[in-house]
Amino acid sequence: MSRDCAICRLHSDPIQISAFEIVRTPLWVLRHHHHPAPMLGWLLLDTLRHCSGPVDFNSDEASRWGGAVQQASQLVRDLTVCDRVYAIAFGEGAQHLHLHLIPRFINDPATAAWSVADHYRAVASGDRPAAGPEAVQALVRHARTVPS
């Protein structure tokens, strides 16, 4: 863990853990997007160690990644009753893979394909409302009770 790393700080901050973390394994952390959350159910699957992406996985991470993504994606679908789950990772902001798992609702144009990036920017800039913090907390509490 590094104090210079924003993701390491998130993974070790008791307030962030209490508010957003859903599950932690020896390899991954599954968490809800912090405030301002672009939408309810926007989850992130993070590597615990510094790892920029699958190209840098060790053998254990490589063998377990697919199952972790599938389980996390299923949880997004179960929690939000969305039609699809987008999985996007860019990896420029931190040396931790953090895969964005984004609910896609067929009847919501803001979640369509690349429009979801515009939606994210609009929430970040304050042009669209973020998911309500109370609703995020309720979803996180519920997600913690769902069997994996």
Side-chain angles (χ1 to χ4, degrees), residues 63-147:
S63 68
R64 295 174 187 268
W65 178 243
V69 172
Q70 191 278 332
Q71 286 179 337
S73 298
Q74 186 63 52
L75 182 61
V76 171
R77 183 183 290 165
D78 291 347
L79 293 170
T80 66
V81 194
C82 62
D83 300 296
R84 295 192 62 183
V85 178
Y86 290 157
I88 302 172
F90 297 105
E92 295 299 316
Q95 281 301 307
H96 285 265
L97 171 62
H98 48 284
L99 183 70
H100 293 253
L101 298 166
I102 307 162
R104 163 68 170 122
F105 301 94
I106 298 301
N107 294 324
D108 182 358
T111 67
W114 289 107
S115 297
V116 77
D118 296 329
H119 176 83
Y120 188 99
R121 285 189 287 272
V123 170
S125 70
D127 293 333
R128 279 189 82 136
E134 299 83 15
V136 169
Q137 293 306 293
L139 185 128
V140 168
R141 282 192 303 274
H142 175 66
R144 290 173 179 159
T145 70
V146 175

Side-chain angles (χ1 to χ4, degrees), residues 30 36 40-41 43 46 49 55-56 58 67 73 76 83 87 100 102 134 138 140:
L30 180 63
L40 191 62
L43 304 187
D46 302 343
R49 72 177 186 92
V55 70
D56 295 321
N58 62 38
S73 298
V76 171
D83 300 296
H100 293 253
I102 307 162
E134 299 83 15
V140 168

